[in-house]
Amino acid sequence: MALDFTFTEEQKMLEESVYRWVSDWLEPQMEELYEKDEFPQDLFKELGKLGVNGIVFDERYGGSALGYVETLLVYETIARVSNALSMTVGASQTLCFDNFRKNAGEKEKLDILPRACGGELIGCLGITEPNAGSDAMSMTTRAVKKGDRYIINGSKIFITNAPVADFMLFYAKTDPEKKAHGMSAFWFYPKTTKGFIVEKIKKWGMKSSPTGLITFEDMEIPEGNLVGEYNNGVAVLTSGLCTERITLCGCTLGSQRSCLELSLKYAKERVQFGKPIASFQLIQAKLADMYCDYKASKWMAYSAASYCDSLKDKRGGKGTDLDRISAAALLFCGEKGTKIALDAIQIHGGYGFCTEYAVSRHLLDQKVWEIGAGTSEVRRMIIARELLRDDFRSGI
Ligand SMILES: Cc1cc2nc3c(=O)[nH]c(=O)nc-3n(C[C@H](O)[C@H](O)[C@H](O)COP(=O)(O)OP(=O)(O)OC[C@H]3O[C@@H](n4cnc5c(N)ncnc54)[C@H](O)[C@@H]3O)c2cc1C
């Protein structure tokens, strides 16, 4: 068993090509994009040229037929420059299109997924509602069948990419009395569908990744846009949560790595009391802690991704080891990510408080990883539930 995180030559080449692209294309514009909270319009087309919009998708859908380890590696590499845009990529590729791939019909997949891989379609996923966050199953958005159409009414909040999305996967109640078993999944094209209203939400972090508040007002979609079985949206929803949690660890890992690298550089250059601050033991202790937390986070995330890749059925969900392992990975990475970013700011002193320094953006972005994709509290609830299962095997 290899436990040294040695990537294969192909994985190293993938990381290098993505890092070259983020350094050359994204980094020079990132401070301004963040300041203005602007989304780089060509982002997905650029990623399409790199061939990383459909990493786990089969080649017949335009993808690369690789695994979740590679997905995590790509998200980590993008997040070394922008945690926020790595989240935007994850929301489109993993939350939206990967879940669609797992559950939609072949004809629709052959039509839609190649366009997503080329960067022509940006995706978003709508679960959260103003009054249904952690308790997602209490959602009230309604889909009512009328002839060969569904009429949608309700709202969704905090939807990553909604203001720029061409494609949306979302959930609505089709039989509210049946609660979680009366929910279905649907897709549609937001830019060309009447009754879809989106408002961009102002955020203090994750800027440049657009987030939307959506209202569905008598929005009509064809009956064929149902994803999965009628009233079985819960199966569609849960089939995406574990791979979402694992791959989104990449967003926090990339920021963690950059915070450490930028702090090492700064600590060696910044002179106070006639010496580089790196020579002070209190600064060294922070650097050592940052390194340990990053390495441990990396182990949690990549071992989870590698475990997921080894499974035939990657859907996870309640009662599976993947559920516990993926929740634990994001819980750990998210909390360590905030701590590492705070240490990086401290090492940079007053300069860390200035937007010109990339560590400031990493801090503002990291906090979301204790909230999005299920909060830290929800992740702890999942881990404890699975630990207390009668058939829990402590070795996995
Ligand atoms: C930047 C950003 C991007 C997002 N992107 C998306 C997206 O693309 N699609 C999408 O559908 N959603 C998205 N979300 C929503 C996100 O998943 C929710 O914010 C999250 O699930 C928490 O829901 P909430 O904000 O309503 O908080 P609440 O559920 O109201 O929680 C408030 C607090 O109460 C705690 N709490 C709740 N229930 C319990 C309990 N039983 N026990 C203990 N504590 C509890 C929570 O942990 C939290 O601390 C995004 C959010 C953000 C901030």
Side-chain angles (χ1 to χ4, degrees), residues 87 91 95 125-130 132-135 157-160 203 206 211 368 371-378 381:
M87 177 177 78
L95 276 62
L125 174 77
I127 301 175
T128 310
E129 297 187 357
S134 301
D135 182 14
I157 196 164
F158 304 134
I159 308 307
T160 301
K203 315 190 295 299
M206 285 293 181
T211 311
V368 101
I371 298 168
T375 62
S376 285
E377 289 78 8
V378 167
M381 281 156 55

Side-chain angles (χ1 to χ4, degrees), residues 108 143-152 170 185-189 192-194 218-227 230:
E108 290 159 308
V144 178
K145 186 96 189 286
K146 199 173 160 197
D148 61 356
R149 328 272 299 159
Y150 282 98
I151 315 293
I152 318 290
F170 74 101
F186 301 92
W187 70 271
F188 71 103
Y189 296 115
T192 52
T193 305
K194 278 192 195 145
D218 289 329
M219 186 180 87
E220 288 190 26
I221 56 172
E223 63 178 347
N225 290 20
L226 179 74
V227 180
Y230 182 79

